[in-house]
Amino acid sequence: MKPARFDYYLPSTLEEALAKLSELGSEGKVLAGGQSLVPMLNMRIAQPAALIDINGLVELDAVACENGALRVGATVRQSTLERSDAALGQVPLLAQALPLIGHWQTRNRGTLCGSLAHADPSAELPLLLAVLDGSVEVHSSRGARTIAARDLFVSFFTTSLEADELIVAAYVPVAPARRCYAFDEVAQRHGDFALVSVACAAEFDEQGALAYLTLALGGASEVPLVVETADALGRHADRELIAALAERASVACDPPSDHHASAAFRRQLVRTLTGRMLTALLRREEAAAT
Amino acid sequence: MIGEGSIELDGAAEHIYHALLDPELLQRTIPGCRGFEDQGERRYTALMEAGVGPIKGAFKAKFSVTDVRPSEGYTLQVEGQGTPGSVFGRVTVSLASSAPQRTQLHYAYDVSVSGKIAMVGQRMLDAAAKMVAAQFFKRLHEELAAR
Amino acid sequence: MIESPARTRPRRWIGEAVPRKEDPALLTGAGRFIDDLDPFPNTHHAAILRSPHAHARILSIDSTRALVLEGVKAVLTGARVAEISQPFHAGITEPVHFYPIAVEKVRYVGEPVAVVVAKDRYIAEDALELIDVEYERLEPVVEIDRALADDSLPLHENVGSNVVHERSFTYGEVDAAFAAAEEIVEATFRFPKYASTPIETYGVIAQYQRGTDTYAIHANFQGPFVLHTLLASALRVPGNRLRILVPPDIGGSFGIKALLYPYMGLIALASKESGVPVKWIEDRLEHLCASSSLTDRLTNVQAAVLRDGTILALRLDHVDNVGAYVRAPEPACLYRMHGTSTGAYRIPALAIHNRLVTTNKLPTGLNRGYGGQEHYFALERTMAIVAKRLHLDRLDVVRRNLVRADEFPYHAPAGSVLDSGDYHTALDEALRLAGYQELLATRDRARARGRSAGIGLACVVEPSGSSMGYITIALPLEQRKRSLPKSGAAEAVTIALDPSGAITVRLGTAPQGQGHQTVTAQIVAEELGVALESIEVVAEVDTQTSPWTIASGTYSSRFAPIAAVAVQQAARKVAMKLRTIAAQECNVPVDDIDLAEGLAIPRGDRSKAIPIKRLAGLAHWNPLALPSGMEPGVYETAYYSVPILEAPDDQDRVNSSAVYGFVVDICLLDVDRETGKIEIQRYVSVHDTGRMLNPLLAEGQIRGGFAHGLGGALMEEMVYDENGALLSGTFVDYLCPTAAEIPPLVIGHVDTPSPFTPLGAKGIGEGNSMSVPVTIANAVADALGVDDITLPLTPRRVWELTQR
Ligand SMILES: Cc1cc2nc3c(=O)[nH]c(=O)nc-3n(C[C@H](O)[C@H](O)[C@H](O)COP(=O)(O)OP(=O)(O)OC[C@H]3O[C@@H](n4cnc5c(N)ncnc54)[C@H](O)[C@@H]3O)c2cc1C
């Protein structure tokens, strides 16, 4: 379990990093927290010619609130967010999602942006970005652009990033006043990648009808999947509606099969988790209303 | 891994069938294919690079076309070996005319991997197979369209 | 005898909750493990090319490109290994040849195909990618059923079949019992293949010296040292040219690093071939595909029962899958529990049919619980099924059949002599700790709310201290008669006092974290009446200088029943010598000298007490002053073997273990039918550990066994697909329980010291490995109302059970 030979670069400015990236193209790989990349190197299933370590770019190690979103720099660790009351207050879903990711040790190194770039369909953070409709800020020596979550994730472990592009920061929208959130998953053990995960953001109006709903699934398709829910708006989230949404979610996805779970079982989990999550949200809302 | 899919192509079944037997075209449509060599009797060897995202593996691959059913389809046997392990299996292609000058191509693959790639790549294998198959037929579509 | 009030008693240490002597070094990172050692100059590093195929013929291996890579010293392949060594011997008659590397054929994914020796591990791994191997794939034989089929391709052509061992046994009037039965309950069980995952993997540093044709092999090997004999003959050297050295610390093993440790041979040969010392530390990928595991087993049970639940007889049909080869001590998997096949029950008649099959999977070997989890899964599931079929209370059926306290020592039909126990009281204690009535009420309340709750129970006799002879029962009588009978289970210990009186104890047990140093110090401190901290216990083994026996090592929970006694006996030899010297100095009879507080104290006259330090000094500095005939120095070795471990008799009965503990487990759990998740609500485990040596260590062993058992029950499995490809090759796919998955465990004790050993202690390390899988299976069966339970009970499996 020793990696194949590679060149190692530790740029000290963003320009330098971007220049290296454009010079190396697909031969180069960005090294952030290393929690996904380094195991792949050690197992020699990834053998890039060079690594560009971005951990020296201090300017990327910042969390700020900008234009209604939390801007999380590329080297901000998952555990930094987990320990930041400000961040968790602004994006309450982070408090639910972060503890499900691996272990303390991996979160101490792993970054939010690294997880987005890695685009594992079972990972929590891509799902979080998708359900909150966030985006990433991407730079290359050719310029900068913003990519919305729905355009970022293309397929299994594949994003719409070009080889010379670096995610500089992620934008995670700050929670509006009445919005409530839930994140749940079935994993075999604490810290394992989920068999499936479900996240949702919802808002109920004064009458208790759904005023907003986004429902997204992880581990159930090649990318985090946002389920169509527009027709549920304005309706009361009764048992019937919840059952219909849960059923829709289980049909909308295209889950993989492996020895841990068949596609049929994953669909079943999607149905169950979705149903339970919406029911719990509703109960919470009802409890708050009385 | 087993999977299947279908794709609608321009052209009559017979035309598609012949295209599918054209080594030149196979070489261009098999994803990550280099050094394609025709060994005769519908047997071919090549170096194939396949992967998902950052994960890549290079295989020495042998292909053979068997079970030929003119204008209806055939089976492509694949066997590859490389440092990440070995891959073997087959893809069955069936053609049916769906409209004049339109053909419905249905493919079903049953591919197995063994060795390191199966040991470490469990979570990605299904994905990899799906992607390689999808890429292959997408390119086929493009190649045919370009003809 | 009336004791004089002036007698001075040493402080009691045995049984005390002494914290581990080992811990300060381990917890501060100062342990010395195999990878920390650097014993030879110019050591090179090995990497191993492994088979990607389950079953294939090796057509060619071309190492040319690897050999020209800078830093590469040598490439060793199977053909060469077959030239310069012999296959390892195993305990069956069929010629299944096992070398530490594939010769001509590969038979499982991960089997070594070539070894590269290079300047460092990076280069060695680079070179692996440059070796070209051509294979011809062969039909894989993956499952037991396929291996049993006449037309499955034999893995070993010279054997001609994948059934490589078969024997039948009958004890008592089995047919009569089945004729008299009011019901016959029959069930078939499958037990999965899993292992234990020590944090430290295998590690070997070997040096071959050409000048003397000798091998020195450092390895984190746990015994038994019968390997020394097997390895010497495989390497074609006499035993005195093979030196095995075990480092001071081993990072866990649980049987994996026991017999047979093929890499010791492979790396030794790599050193011979390359002319340099070679180091190899197994990585986790290698470990999960190519170390060792327990067997997967197919069992058919027929029980002849009366309507009141009395079990008259059992017929057991076992098929054990040893994977690609038969590695010593296999076929012991089938025989470790043989004498104890009737478990904790008074079942007078028993028939056993044993078969061993080879398949294209990782070869098996010792594993915590060895043979027990497979065995009790079938036996204790059967007990539950019997109760269910007869509409009886499970507890009534168990109580009716358990061996009663007044029946010990109990001679089980297949030969085990259950030394002591009080199974009924232990069961009652478990029920009390579980709050059984409340447990039933909780289950019923949960069910009334629509939940699937269930209660599981298992009673397990936990053998410890394996006999060296039990494995020979695999051979038919005529064949056994042809060689020397094998009996006993010996261990050796040396205690030395230097001229300053400092005490060093040398063990041959090769512990892997069990706390042997601590218990040894407790025993010696108590026997010699000295301070606990003053005792040094050396756990590193060197076959050239340590005391050892063929049985030495740490396996079958043998420290408590056997090695601890050897420690005590060596200490008693030392004590006798010191007291004899003191008696002469004080001019009193030996019997009047007590050892306590670091002194030899004449009874009734403390003022004449002599420090032990002085007595040791005398033995070294002034031998002429010693009592006549006494040897100078203080250096005593004791060899101890348990007398009750006789060789198998002509009726094929064998007492396979020195002593027998007992475990009763009760568990309440809840099944989420929609997600397949199991939540354990209460788990109680009551043990009979005989005389307790150290309650902290006992608890550690129980908790460790519990975690291992949970792994087997809920998540651990080596998964192979239909082609024999291994799918669980990393810790992402081979799941072990972590702290977060382990529910609270309530531990109780009903201890009955063994009358057969001087200390009376019983092993305790494996009981829960045996009991937990079936306890949880029984609880899930109860929760879901199904009988056909297969482990591990992953969410997927549980959900599938609910879909029936
Ligand atoms: C034991 C363990 C358990 C885990 N469990 C989970 C889990 O349950 N859920 C989960 O979601 N994750 C889990 N992970 C993965 C973990 O969250 C990783 O930290 C994360 O996926 C990647 O972040 P990283 O900073 O470590 O990225 P790296 O490993 O450094 O990089 C990952 C990939 O992203 C690219 N990359 C990184 N940063 C950028 C950037 N700024 N711009 C462009 N490309 C970039 C790299 O080139 C590489 O291809 C686990 C990891 C381990 C080791």
Side-chain angles (χ1 to χ4, degrees):
Chain A
M1 237 197 265
K2 300 278 184 260
R5 203 169 266 279
F6 57 83
D7 293 332
Y8 172 81
Y9 300 99
L10 181 64
S12 51
T13 65
L14 184 58
E15 289 64 43
E16 216 185 302
L18 297 177
K20 253 300 157 237
L21 263 176
S22 78
E23 175 194 327
L24 293 164
S26 57
E27 295 288 287
K29 273 269 148 209
V30 172
L31 175 68
Q35 298 303 295
S36 295
L37 183 56
V38 173
M40 295 190 294
L41 296 178
N42 284 351
M43 293 191 276
R44 293 188 179 226
I45 53 176
Q47 302 199 359
L51 295 190
I52 301 149
D53 185 343
I54 58 170
N55 290 286
L57 308 181
V58 278
E59 68 264 43
L60 301 186
D61 188 16
V63 185
C65 202
E66 275 175 23
N67 307 327
L70 198 66
R71 183 184 193 273
V72 182
T75 60
V76 173
R77 312 291 162 187
Q78 294 156 8
S79 64
T80 306
L81 296 171
E82 201 177 353
R83 291 197 202 98
S84 158
D85 289 338
L88 300 183
Q90 280 150 344
V91 184
L93 197 54
L94 277 174
Q96 294 185 51
L98 286 168
L100 301 174
I101 304 172
H103 313 273
W104 266 115
Q105 292 86 335
T106 65
R107 300 198 292 273
N108 280 338
R109 291 295 303 167
T111 63
L112 182 147
C113 292
S115 179
L116 301 178
H118 191 53
D120 185 325
S122 300
E124 285 80 3
L125 293 168
L127 177 59
L128 177 131
L129 198 76
V131 78
L132 297 182
D133 200 17
S135 61
V136 290
E137 178 186 333
V138 169
H139 288 225
S140 71
S141 1
R142 295 174 287 118
R145 62 177 177 140
T146 299
I147 310 177
R150 60 187 162 283
D151 302 320
L152 178 64
F153 306 112
V154 172
S155 184
F156 306 96
F157 305 96
T158 309
T159 63
S160 54
L161 246 55
E162 298 294 334
D164 64 345
E165 285 182 318
L166 179 75
I167 299 181
V168 166
Y171 288 88
V172 191
V174 169
R178 291 183 54 92
R179 188 116 352 138
C180 54
Y181 298 93
F183 199 110
D184 197 10
E185 64 182 39
V186 175
Q188 308 213 63
R189 298 175 306 175
H190 167 80
D192 279 345
F193 277 99
L195 294 180
V196 301
S197 45
V198 179
C200 95
E203 217 171 286
F204 296 89
D205 66 17
E206 249 80 283
Q207 284 71 47
L210 275 168
Y212 179 89
L213 181 65
T214 312
L215 179 66
L217 314 175
S221 291
E222 57 187 316
V223 293
L225 185 74
V226 177
V227 180
E228 178 57 52
T229 52
D231 58 331
L233 297 187
R235 290 177 60 184
H236 280 271
D238 52 14
R239 278 172 72 173
E240 210 176 306
L241 178 62
I242 289 176
L245 288 172
E247 184 57 31
R248 182 186 298 168
S250 76
V251 175
C253 59
D254 178 18
S257 260
D258 56 34
H259 75 267
H260 297 297
S262 60
F265 180 40
R266 283 192 163 91
R267 278 187 207 281
Q268 151 73 14
L269 290 174
V270 164
R271 186 182 303 118
T272 301
L273 286 187
T274 307
R276 289 181 184 178
M277 175 175 288
L278 293 175
T279 308
L281 272 185
L282 183 67
R283 294 237 174 87
R284 223 192 310 166
E285 177 63 20
E286 283 168 356
T290 55
Chain B
M1 288 83 49
I2 51 173
E4 58 181 338
S6 50
I7 180 168
E8 175 129 89
L9 300 168
D10 282 332
E14 195 194 342
H15 169 72
I16 308 275
Y17 174 77
H18 284 293
L20 279 169
L21 282 178
D22 174 5
E24 286 280 298
L25 183 124
L26 277 179
Q27 170 168 15
R28 284 198 303 273
T29 43
I30 294 173
C33 182
R34 284 187 291 126
F36 195 90
E37 277 176 35
D38 190 339
Q39 309 286 343
E41 297 182 13
R42 296 198 174 126
R43 294 173 175 277
Y44 314 96
T45 56
L47 275 177
M48 214 185 131
E49 220 173 71
V52 194
I55 301 148
K56 284 194 186 76
F59 300 88
K60 270 188 196 159
K62 293 182 200 162
F63 301 93
S64 57
V65 173
T66 60
D67 186 25
V68 281
R69 288 161 285 128
S71 300
E72 286 174 19
Y74 64 61
T75 299
L76 184 67
Q77 307 270 357
V78 189
E79 183 158 347
Q81 197 184 306
T83 48
S86 66
V87 184
F88 45 94
R90 61 180 179 283
V91 188
T92 307
V93 178
S94 321
L95 303 173
S97 150
S98 51
Q101 295 302 305
R102 297 277 290 167
T103 301
Q104 187 74 21
L105 182 156
H106 180 263
Y107 62 90
Y109 58 84
D110 182 347
V111 186
S112 301
V113 297
S114 189
K116 188 157 80 178
I117 193 78
M119 284 162 53
V120 309
Q122 254 303 290
R123 293 190 55 242
M124 307 161 187
L125 287 178
D126 224 36
K130 250 183 214 171
M131 282 176 68
V132 172
Q135 272 172 25
F136 176 79
F137 290 103
K138 185 169 158 250
R139 285 198 198 170
L140 180 69
H141 184 66
E142 288 163 4
E143 283 287 331
L144 290 173
R147 278 183 171 212
Chain C
M1 190 182 88
I2 298 163
E3 287 190 1
S4 130
R7 183 134 221 177
T8 317
R9 288 239 154 254
R11 184 181 181 323
R12 288 242 170 254
W13 284 110
I14 300 173
E16 293 288 298
V18 174
R20 299 193 339 154
K21 228 175 145 53
E22 295 85 341
D23 286 344
L26 294 177
L27 295 178
T28 55
R32 279 177 304 142
F33 297 90
I34 184 77
D35 200 18
D36 298 318
L37 305 185
D38 192 6
F40 309 118
N42 194 30
T43 296
H44 280 54
H45 296 263
I48 300 173
L49 183 71
R50 294 177 181 278
S51 169
H53 297 292
H55 201 182
R57 199 170 297 289
I58 300 173
L59 301 178
S60 67
I61 303 179
D62 181 355
S63 315
T64 328
R65 290 192 303 140
L67 282 166
V68 297
L69 186 71
E70 189 173 339
V72 172
K73 195 90 187 169
V75 177
L76 178 67
T77 61
R80 181 74 184 135
V81 166
E83 274 169 34
I84 60 177
S85 71
Q86 311 265 101
F88 283 105
H89 183 76
I92 59 165
T93 40
E94 284 72 6
V96 175
H97 293 313
F98 173 62
Y99 288 96
I101 190 168
V103 176
E104 290 170 14
K105 261 173 84 169
V106 289
R107 295 182 175 89
Y108 65 96
V109 168
E111 181 168 13
V113 171
V115 183
V116 172
V117 175
K119 239 172 62 187
D120 62 43
R121 177 74 176 244
Y122 292 85
I123 297 174
E125 290 196 18
D126 289 345
L128 295 184
E129 301 191 348
L130 302 174
I131 300 177
D132 299 302
V133 186
E134 237 189 302
Y135 295 99
E136 176 198 338
R137 281 193 294 125
L138 301 171
E139 178 211 318
V141 181
V142 187
E143 298 305 332
I144 288 177
D145 311 67
R146 184 71 198 124
L148 288 174
D150 288 337
D151 65 341
S152 69
L153 184 67
L155 268 71
H156 300 272
E157 281 121 346
N158 52 346
V159 178
S161 163
N162 286 314
V163 178
V164 295
H165 164 77
E166 180 163 13
R167 270 215 79 185
S168 295
F169 305 84
T170 306
Y171 304 96
E173 304 299 324
V174 179
D175 292 342
F178 271 84
E182 291 171 343
E183 298 259 359
I184 292 171
V185 175
E186 177 169 4
T188 297
F189 306 98
R190 285 173 192 278
F191 197 81
K193 181 183 183 78
Y194 64 97
S196 309
T197 37
I199 291 180
E200 182 201 38
T201 55
Y202 286 139
V204 182
I205 310 169
Q207 183 188 41
Y208 172 73
Q209 267 171 340
R210 194 151 27 99
T212 49
D213 189 27
T214 54
Y215 291 93
I217 306 175
H218 293 256
N220 49 10
F221 167 64
Q222 71 171 107
F225 279 78
V226 62
L227 175 79
H228 186 270
T229 310
L230 299 178
L231 189 54
S233 75
L235 294 174
R236 295 184 183 152
V237 289
N240 54 7
R241 294 214 215 123
L242 167 62
R243 183 177 183 186
I244 295 176
L245 301 108
V246 179
D249 290 303
I250 297 182
S253 174
F254 318 105
I256 302 286
K257 295 167 185 163
L259 251 195
L260 191 101
Y261 193 141
Y263 296 101
M264 288 166 71
L266 185 60
I267 301 304
L269 294 170
S271 172
K272 181 173 188 170
E273 193 65 4
S274 61
V276 289
V278 178
K279 180 172 187 171
W280 170 75
I281 303 292
E282 181 193 46
D283 67 34
R284 189 59 67 185
L285 291 176
E286 300 183 281
H287 186 84
L288 287 171
C289 69
S291 59
S292 186
S293 78
L294 53 71
T295 53
D296 45 320
R297 178 179 290 184
L298 177 64
T299 306
N300 180 269
V301 182
Q302 287 178 15
V305 298
L306 297 181
R307 252 168 238 130
D308 66 2
T310 305
I311 303 194
L312 303 174
L314 290 177
R315 285 197 181 114
L316 305 176
D317 189 314
H318 297 135
V319 188
D320 251 16
N321 178 5
V322 284
Y325 297 90
V326 186
R327 299 195 304 207
E330 305 297 20
C333 51
L334 281 169
Y335 293 98
R336 184 196 186 190
M337 301 304 297
H338 186 87
T340 327
S341 293
T342 42
Y345 308 111
R346 208 180 333 95
I347 302 173
L350 171 71
I352 300 174
H353 178 216
N354 280 341
R355 277 171 293 173
L356 201 70
V357 296
T358 48
T359 61
N360 296 113
K361 290 187 180 179
L362 167 66
T364 60
L366 295 175
N367 203 266
R368 190 176 200 160
Y370 193 45
Q373 39 274 57
E374 297 98 315
H375 180 68
Y376 287 115
F377 186 76
L379 184 62
E380 292 300 289
R381 282 290 301 124
T382 300
M383 292 303 284
I385 293 169
V386 164
K388 188 174 159 186
R389 297 271 162 86
L390 300 176
H391 305 288
L392 296 172
D393 183 338
R394 173 80 207 277
L395 289 178
D396 289 344
V397 174
V398 170
R399 284 203 180 100
R400 184 174 297 280
N401 290 288
L402 279 181
V403 175
R404 289 191 314 267
D406 60 7
E407 291 174 301
F408 291 96
Y410 173 80
H411 290 257
S416 283
V417 184
L418 306 185
D419 47 333
S420 62
D422 187 346
Y423 298 171
H424 287 88
T425 306
L427 175 60
D428 289 342
E429 174 65 0
L431 296 172
R432 187 185 70 78
L433 289 172
Y436 191 65
Q437 289 311 319
E438 181 50 34
L439 223 57
L440 289 173
T442 312
R443 177 188 68 179
D444 295 342
R445 276 198 303 275
R447 286 181 177 176
R449 289 200 317 271
R451 315 267 321 166
S452 295
I455 293 177
L457 169 78
C459 296
V460 156
V461 170
E462 176 182 3
S464 56
S466 281
S467 134
M468 290 312 282
Y470 83 81
I471 300 164
T472 59
I473 202 164
L475 303 173
L477 183 62
E478 325 81 72
Q479 222 152 6
R480 262 194 336 255
K481 292 243 146 144
R482 262 181 252 142
S483 50
L484 272 176
K486 295 193 174 74
S487 71
E491 191 52 85
V493 173
T494 297
I495 303 181
L497 269 64
D498 73 8
S500 72
I503 303 169
T504 303
V505 188
R506 187 134 203 200
L507 301 175
T509 58
Q512 312 103 49
Q514 289 86 351
H516 292 180
Q517 285 98 316
T518 305
V519 180
T520 297
Q522 285 175 262
I523 296 169
V524 174
E526 181 166 319
E527 293 292 337
L528 299 185
V530 296
L532 190 72
E533 315 73 63
S534 71
I535 297 162
E536 272 308 303
V537 184
V538 177
E540 40 189 314
V541 180
D542 175 348
T543 53
Q544 223 161 54
T545 57
S546 297
W548 60 280
T549 83
I550 197 140
S552 283
T554 296
Y555 56 93
S556 72
S557 302
R558 68 198 302 279
F559 184 82
I562 299 172
V565 178
V567 171
Q568 188 188 40
Q569 301 212 332
R572 289 192 171 164
K573 280 187 174 179
V574 170
M576 182 50 86
K577 182 160 195 172
L578 296 174
R579 287 165 64 214
T580 307
I581 303 171
Q584 175 183 276
E585 292 292 294
C586 299
N587 214 356
V588 297
V590 176
D591 281 353
D592 285 357
I593 299 287
D594 294 322
L595 299 180
E597 300 158 33
L599 305 170
I601 307 170
R603 197 182 299 180
D605 191 356
R606 265 191 88 89
S607 67
K608 286 209 192 123
I610 309 172
I612 285 173
K613 182 179 151 110
R614 250 204 67 192
L615 297 172
L618 190 151
H620 281 277
W621 286 105
N622 194 7
L624 296 186
L626 290 173
S628 79
M630 184 182 276
E631 291 174 7
V634 187
Y635 187 93
E636 297 293 341
T637 297
Y639 280 80
Y640 174 74
S641 178
V642 189
I644 190 130
L645 292 178
E646 290 170 16
D649 70 12
D650 291 358
Q651 282 75 48
D652 280 329
R653 282 181 301 224
V654 65
N655 181 21
S656 26
S657 300
V659 297
Y660 297 86
F662 181 61
V663 186
V664 191
D665 281 7
I666 296 178
C667 140
L668 168 72
L669 53 75
D670 202 270
V671 179
D672 185 331
R673 299 179 74 98
E674 280 162 85
T675 62
K677 288 221 102 168
I678 290 173
E679 195 185 320
I680 294 171
Q681 319 251 315
R682 190 158 179 83
Y683 203 108
V684 171
S685 187
V686 170
H687 286 248
D688 176 355
T689 178
R691 178 165 176 205
M692 177 87 80
L693 299 174
N694 180 329
L696 292 179
L697 295 178
E699 185 180 336
Q701 286 297 323
I702 292 170
R703 292 192 181 280
F706 180 61
H708 183 224
L710 270 182
L714 300 177
M715 49 191 87
E716 293 189 36
E717 185 176 14
M718 294 189 165
V719 183
Y720 290 83
D721 74 5
E722 65 283 1
N723 297 307
L726 177 69
L727 304 182
S728 51
T730 72
F731 277 156
V732 172
D733 291 299
Y734 186 88
L735 305 179
C736 306
T738 69
E741 281 71 49
I742 298 172
L745 170 67
V746 179
I747 299 171
H749 280 277
V750 173
D751 293 330
T752 64
S754 173
F756 294 155
T757 67
L759 269 171
K762 301 177 181 180
I764 198 166
E766 302 177 84
N768 289 104
S769 292
M770 302 177 184
S771 63
V772 177
V774 65
T775 302
I776 290 180
N778 279 342
V780 171
D782 182 41
L784 299 180
V786 295
D787 281 344
D788 184 14
I789 302 270
T790 308
L791 302 181
L793 289 157
T794 58
R796 188 204 78 201
R797 277 229 175 80
V798 171
W799 180 71
E800 284 167 2
L801 281 174
T802 67
Q803 297 303 298
R804 299 259 177 92

